[in-house]
Amino acid sequence: DNASLIRVIPPRFYQTFPAPSRASPQPNYSHKTIIQQAETYHKLHRCRSLSLILSPKNYSPPPLTHSSKTSKMLSKSVQVFTVLSVLLSGLTEAQAQKTGLRTKRKLLDTFSCILYEVATDFDDHKSIFEHVCENDSDNDQMYSIDDNNDVISLKLGEGGLDVGANSGRYKITMTNVIVDLEPVVTTTPSTVVSIQDLGVQTSRRRLDIKQGERSMVIIRVNGDDKDNDYSKEKIADSFFGVNGDVNNLASRYKACSMDKLLFVPGQGAQFTDGVAEININVQIEGAVIADVVKIITNKLVEQFGSNLKSTYTHVVYAVPRGTTFGAGGSNSWLAFAYMNHYLSVYNDNNIIYISNQVHETGHNLGLTHSSHGGVTYGDQSGTMGYGYGQEDTPEMCFNAAKSWQLGWYQDKSAEYNPAEKGTFTGYLTAFVDYKSVTVGEEFVQFKILDYFLIYNKAKGINHETKEFANMVTITEMVAENKYSESVAALGAGNTFTGKGIAVKVCTMETIGGVDKAKISIFVDGQPDGCSSAPTSASGVEPVATPSPTPVPLATPSPVPDRTNRPTYRPTPRPTSAPVAPLTPVPTHAPSPGPTSAPVTPGPTQAPSPGPTAPPTASPTPQPTPRPTDAPVTPQPTHADCPDGTMDVRITIMTDIRPQETSWYFKMRGGAPVDSATNLNMAKHEYSHRYCVPDDKVYEFRLSDSGGDGIKSTMDSIEDQGFYEISVNGEIYSSGGQFEYDEVDYIQGPCEDNKELLQFVLTTGTAPGTVTWKLQEDGSAVDIAEGGPWPSHNGRSISYVAHECLDPSKCYTYSIFSANGDGLHNGHLEVNWNSNNVAMTPFESGPSLFFPFGNC
């Protein structure tokens, strides 16, 4: 009796669902009831399609979980009941009404939309790039794509079209597709695809220009069950500084762009300092954020008459805590934005963290992530790396590749290829001194093939850069839609080679308050030009500069702009560095122990001797003293520790779940010096001081059984904790953003006649194949060695090691891969006397060797 509703499709598109059990028979189990239950299952599990079995009344089918079971059941019961295959998407609205089914899927003859690329990031610090498709109806709804037969991918490949590099440029028209109002568009075997190139100017009319004035509005969202934690006034202050916040989104972009990109609060009848408020009839707790975004957009049309993109350059949604990323997914998503788009979305307190604001807006401007050592967000020299859960710090700008892409310094930048023009020797001025450089005389940026150079001076607008401070950094980026990868950080005397070219930093100096690095760019294998006089800048052709009169960026118009539509699939981003699982400390001295984030050379003459904590915006200010767990006498200075010892002080401020926190401090390979478990006082400061021998290495391990550290970004700032370690009165490390464990290794200073070797090894996903050793040239005895290490569920493990060595001798650091194919998604970094010796992913081959010292 339902034959008119049937559309039969190939079995590959079926997914069977478990029907009610025989144990709970229901009388009058009609076709309508079955279909309604199927709809419920479809909603809960978000199946692409369903194969439904319609049975006669008073019969409850057995559970079906696989098509083979369906076949066996049919063969035995063919005379008992009739099986009809029904594809939900094949039902029209009228047909669905006959069964009481609310249609969620339709088969459309034609469907058109604009292609975008979206990076989706997850809590385990992985990212997936996907194509999404924005329809020009339903308030510019964005659909994810289920390209069953790769017909879209093949069509793009035929034309050599790169959606990532041209997000929003291509309009795609498809025939015979299944459209799910969740929303998903699914291709079928009969789908035919055609693509129209809208052109760069059409697709990026407002967002491709990264200079001028941009209007931005923030929508404070409240649900039925909860409101946003922050007031409109607080949000406006954090974005625009309207109430005295001197370090805000607008001030950061103004400073880093050298006054070329200005964000201003959008004006309107319902906006105060760029912020408006809406109430949506939704229970926030447990709601899927994608559904909430759609509801917010529709509410804007209802309340303001449009989705605001035709009036303002950027729109921000500030959503209360409690939504999940996907059905039944995590509620710990942080923020996401859309490439070459106007829209970004923030989860609760993440709306006021300045690093999140600058990062997500960077995605709107077309920037991808900045990686280092194969870690997606690993380049901490700029804001497209990790985020930091603090309101006003860090004050830093962008790495070399992103700075080039943004184009703010192009009038004082140059492209140079020594294979074509010969050796160049001249000054690379720190980009923070951009305003002190005369056009045509010196440069603040260089591009060599796919490499980008910048002098990352830690001062002024960039004084809190988190990595490679005061070094010439070299970043590789093969295309704008690809991650940039930090490949080298050079101090005076260091050389980088790659792709047939070489770069050497000859000297670093300050002249009249302006910081400069004298560099030589030459063909690999030929002599550098450091001993030569600087090459005349007139022989280097500067990069063409943008028009001095930017096109207006935010022109109100009653006509919706149909070329820049909101991306639906988000790009969330973690705010702390990945933390590896705990591993036994290797027995070979000084084989490295786990670290929660890669260790990099610092700006001082000697780098920190132990692993750093996951990145924080700056050393946490010492809070107002609070009572400790025991009476505390006045703390002596580190000079009160006996000779031959170092003064180690550990401060822990618990969060609101102190019972999850434990820690220990021990000599590496020895017994614990001190420890504590199940702390019982919330928001309480515990302080401890130890005088320990300075010729030993110590391990401090902080654990959180809840898996969110003691400085969770899902907690309000008032509820967060932190920790800080100081050695001899100097802050050694600080933080609190980790998962289950944070590990720091503490080592005393080298003797006066020794220099520090420091290296970080990320083993990749096959640590059992990796070994290393350190030898003095001419000696067969290993000074130190390490590896192999146990596997930890296929997760990459990071280790750090230090050694004090005689600088008058020559040494070789060697790394080996037993299976001959390098590290598996790993990375190696070696630093000697604050200079970088090696920085490589070691992607192939059985071994690498790095000589250093007086060789």
Side-chain angles (χ1 to χ4, degrees):
D1 60 348
N2 285 316
S4 62
L5 305 184
I6 297 171
R7 180 183 297 274
V8 178
I9 60 170
R12 65 167 294 185
F13 295 105
Y14 289 175
Q15 292 184 29
T16 59
F17 72 98
S21 169
R22 288 179 181 271
S24 302
Q26 301 178 33
N28 300 318
Y29 199 53
S30 67
H31 298 176
K32 175 179 176 180
T33 303
I34 295 175
I35 294 178
Q36 288 174 334
Q37 291 196 352
E39 180 200 10
T40 301
Y41 187 84
H42 172 254
K43 180 178 180 181
L44 290 175
H45 298 273
R46 295 178 180 262
C47 301
R48 288 289 181 266
S49 59
L50 291 175
S51 175
L52 302 186
I53 297 178
L54 305 185
S55 67
K57 295 180 181 180
N58 303 317
Y59 179 80
S60 181
L64 302 176
T65 57
H66 192 275
S67 57
S68 62
K69 293 184 178 181
T70 306
S71 300
K72 293 178 181 178
M73 183 271 295
L74 293 180
S75 63
K76 296 179 179 179
S77 311
V78 66
Q79 296 179 345
V80 178
F81 58 88
T82 302
V83 177
L84 303 177
S85 296
V86 179
L87 177 65
L88 294 182
S89 59
L91 301 179
T92 66
E93 201 70 46
Q95 290 171 332
Q97 290 175 358
K98 296 180 181 179
T99 63
L101 175 66
R102 291 182 291 109
T103 304
K104 289 186 178 292
R105 298 170 61 86
K106 299 179 180 179
L107 183 67
L108 298 184
D109 294 333
T110 304
F111 184 82
S112 296
C113 53
I114 309 295
L115 283 175
Y116 288 87
E117 183 164 271
V118 178
T120 303
D121 309 303
F122 301 89
D123 291 344
D124 59 359
H125 312 288
K126 295 180 180 179
S127 298
I128 298 176
F129 277 90
E130 298 176 279
H131 294 165
V132 292
C133 198
E134 187 178 59
N135 189 247
D136 60 0
S137 61
D138 191 21
N139 296 327
D140 294 329
Q141 179 74 308
M142 183 63 71
Y143 289 77
S144 59
I145 299 173
D146 190 356
D147 192 9
N148 272 317
N149 297 281
D150 298 325
V151 291
I152 299 175
S153 300
L154 291 173
K155 191 68 176 182
L156 291 170
E158 289 174 5
L161 305 181
D162 188 344
V163 176
N166 298 281
S167 184
R169 177 171 176 170
Y170 303 117
K171 181 177 181 179
I172 182 171
T173 299
M174 300 168 282
T175 64
N176 300 318
V177 292
I178 300 168
V179 175
D180 184 335
L181 300 184
E182 288 298 341
V184 177
V185 57
T186 303
T187 61
T188 67
S190 59
T191 297
V192 177
V193 175
S194 62
I195 298 177
Q196 177 187 358
D197 188 346
L198 301 177
V200 174
Q201 295 303 319
T202 301
S203 63
R204 301 186 185 179
R205 180 177 64 82
R206 299 170 66 185
L207 295 172
D208 194 52
I209 302 171
K210 300 173 178 64
Q211 297 187 29
E213 186 176 283
R214 289 170 171 265
S215 62
M216 174 179 281
V217 292
I218 298 96
I219 306 301
R220 181 179 184 267
V221 179
N222 301 315
D224 281 346
D225 55 336
K226 57 178 64 178
D227 294 345
N228 196 288
D229 282 350
Y230 294 94
S231 66
K232 294 197 301 181
E233 293 75 18
K234 175 66 175 179
I235 294 172
D237 196 27
S238 72
F239 272 82
F240 308 114
V242 294
N243 296 313
D245 188 342
V246 297
N247 197 22
N248 51 74
L249 170 88
S251 68
R252 280 284 81 212
Y253 271 99
K254 183 177 186 293
C256 292
S257 70
M258 304 299 168
D259 304 326
K260 295 180 181 179
L261 181 57
L262 307 176
F263 285 93
V264 298
Q267 304 300 315
Q270 299 185 54
F271 289 92
T272 303
D273 293 325
V275 183
E277 190 168 43
I278 66 170
N279 299 305
I280 57 176
N281 298 323
V282 173
Q283 292 287 322
I284 294 294
E285 190 66 38
V288 177
I289 183 57
D291 296 337
V292 172
V293 167
K294 179 180 179 181
I295 293 169
I296 294 171
T297 303
N298 290 337
K299 181 67 175 181
L300 292 180
V301 175
E302 174 188 328
Q303 186 166 323
F304 297 93
S306 76
N307 58 15
L308 303 180
K309 72 169 185 180
S310 61
T311 307
Y312 307 103
T313 320
H314 294 267
V315 179
V316 177
Y317 295 167
V319 180
R321 184 184 313 180
T323 60
T324 64
F325 188 79
S330 170
N331 64 0
S332 61
W333 66 275
L334 306 170
F336 56 82
Y338 307 98
M339 300 289 293
N340 297 319
H341 249 272
Y342 71 90
L343 184 62
S344 57
V345 183
Y346 296 79
N347 188 6
D348 194 55
N349 56 328
N350 295 281
I351 190 68
I352 64 168
Y353 296 155
I354 192 168
S355 61
N356 286 2
Q357 296 170 354
V358 176
H359 182 108
E360 303 305 332
T361 304
H363 283 315
N364 288 157
L365 297 175
L367 303 182
T368 55
H369 297 134
S370 298
S371 65
H372 171 46
V375 179
T376 302
Y377 308 94
D379 183 356
Q380 301 169 51
S381 67
T383 58
M384 296 310 292
Y386 290 121
Y388 307 87
Q390 298 191 15
E391 290 188 36
D392 297 321
T393 58
E395 293 187 57
M396 62 180 181
C397 295
F398 298 86
N399 73 10
K402 307 306 183 191
S403 295
W404 187 280
Q405 185 177 347
L406 289 165
W408 298 327
Y409 319 138
Q410 292 299 78
D411 57 334
K412 300 173 184 179
S413 302
E415 284 193 62
Y416 197 85
N417 186 344
E420 299 174 353
K421 300 181 180 181
T423 298
F424 167 85
T425 301
Y427 286 105
L428 175 66
T429 302
F431 79 93
V432 295
D433 290 320
Y434 168 89
K435 293 182 179 180
S436 300
V437 176
T438 301
V439 175
E441 292 186 3
E442 291 177 5
F443 304 100
V444 299
Q445 278 185 310
F446 272 92
K447 179 183 179 184
I448 312 167
L449 304 178
D450 296 326
Y451 297 124
F452 300 84
L453 279 66
I454 204 168
Y455 184 7
N456 188 43
K457 187 67 179 178
K459 73 174 186 179
I461 61 175
N462 194 53
H463 73 101
E464 290 179 325
T465 180
K466 290 300 176 184
E467 193 169 29
F468 311 137
N470 306 319
M471 307 183 86
V472 172
T473 61
I474 302 180
T475 310
E476 183 179 20
M477 186 170 69
V478 297
E480 288 188 0
N481 66 307
K482 306 299 182 184
Y483 291 161
S484 63
E485 174 70 25
S486 177
V487 296
L490 308 179
N494 294 153
T495 302
F496 165 79
T497 60
K499 299 183 180 180
I501 61 97
V503 178
K504 182 173 182 178
V505 176
C506 308
T507 60
M508 289 177 160
E509 50 194 301
T510 303
I511 304 174
V514 177
D515 289 283
K516 304 173 183 288
K518 183 181 179 182
I519 65 172
S520 183
I521 304 171
F522 53 101
V523 174
D524 188 15
Q526 295 185 3
D528 64 68
C530 285
S531 60
S532 304
T535 305
S536 171
S538 61
V540 180
E541 184 177 351
V543 176
T545 58
S547 169
T549 307
V551 177
L553 297 174
T555 304
S557 170
V559 181
D561 174 10
R562 296 187 178 275
T563 61
N564 284 282
R565 307 175 175 87
T567 307
Y568 198 80
R569 194 72 67 84
T571 306
R573 156 178 183 252
T575 60
S576 60
V579 179
L582 292 177
T583 62
V585 177
T587 56
H588 302 290
S591 64
T595 178
S596 54
V599 178
T600 56
T604 57
Q605 186 64 23
S608 301
T612 59
T616 57
S618 61
T620 307
Q622 189 72 15
T624 303
R626 302 170 187 262
T628 59
D629 52 336
V632 178
T633 57
Q635 294 280 12
T637 65
H638 69 271
D640 294 324
C641 282
D643 291 342
T645 65
M646 55 183 173
D647 181 357
V648 179
R649 305 191 188 202
I650 299 172
T651 300
I652 300 173
M653 170 68 76
T654 56
D655 60 9
I656 58 174
R657 296 172 293 278
Q659 69 280 0
E660 297 177 353
T661 304
S662 61
W663 61 270
Y664 70 71
F665 176 57
K666 59 175 288 187
M667 182 186 299
R668 194 151 126 192
V673 175
D674 201 357
S675 63
T677 59
N678 299 320
L679 305 182
N680 56 14
M681 298 181 67
K683 296 300 295 178
H684 182 77
E685 183 180 301
Y686 295 85
S687 298
H688 307 270
R689 176 184 182 251
Y690 312 93
C691 293
V692 294
D694 61 10
D695 61 345
K696 305 295 183 182
V697 178
Y698 295 85
E699 175 185 327
F700 172 73
R701 179 166 294 175
L702 180 64
S703 301
D704 183 86
S705 62
D708 60 354
I710 62 173
K711 196 173 184 179
S712 171
T713 58
M714 296 308 297
D715 291 336
S716 67
I717 294 176
E718 293 76 14
D719 292 341
Q720 294 176 355
F722 70 90
Y723 84 94
E724 180 179 280
I725 300 174
S726 67
V727 177
N728 292 341
E730 298 290 333
I731 293 178
Y732 192 87
S733 64
S734 63
Q737 289 183 358
F738 58 95
E739 293 178 2
Y740 291 95
D741 296 277
E742 173 117 336
V743 181
D744 287 276
Y745 285 86
I746 305 167
Q747 180 175 342
C750 290
E751 299 174 4
D752 291 341
N753 62 340
K754 298 290 182 69
E755 298 292 351
L756 184 70
L757 169 71
Q758 177 191 57
F759 71 87
V760 177
L761 173 64
T762 301
T763 62
T765 55
T769 69
V770 181
T771 57
W772 64 269
K773 66 180 180 180
L774 175 65
Q775 289 182 318
E776 179 184 334
D777 277 15
S779 173
V781 179
D782 295 340
I783 298 174
E785 62 180 348
W789 294 275
S791 177
H792 288 270
N793 299 320
R795 293 183 61 178
S796 185
I797 309 299
S798 295
Y799 295 93
V800 64
H802 308 83
E803 186 73 15
C804 294
L805 301 173
D806 183 348
S808 67
K809 298 180 180 180
C810 179
Y811 306 91
T812 299
Y813 175 84
S814 308
I815 184 169
F816 306 92
S817 170
N819 54 15
D821 60 357
L823 298 174
H824 295 256
N825 300 314
H827 187 261
L828 171 67
E829 183 173 334
V830 181
N831 304 299
W832 165 245
N833 190 20
S834 79
N835 293 320
N836 184 256
V837 173
M839 189 184 299
T840 174
F842 187 20
E843 294 176 330
S844 62
S847 59
L848 287 177
F849 304 93
F850 300 99
F852 64 94
N854 186 25
C855 300

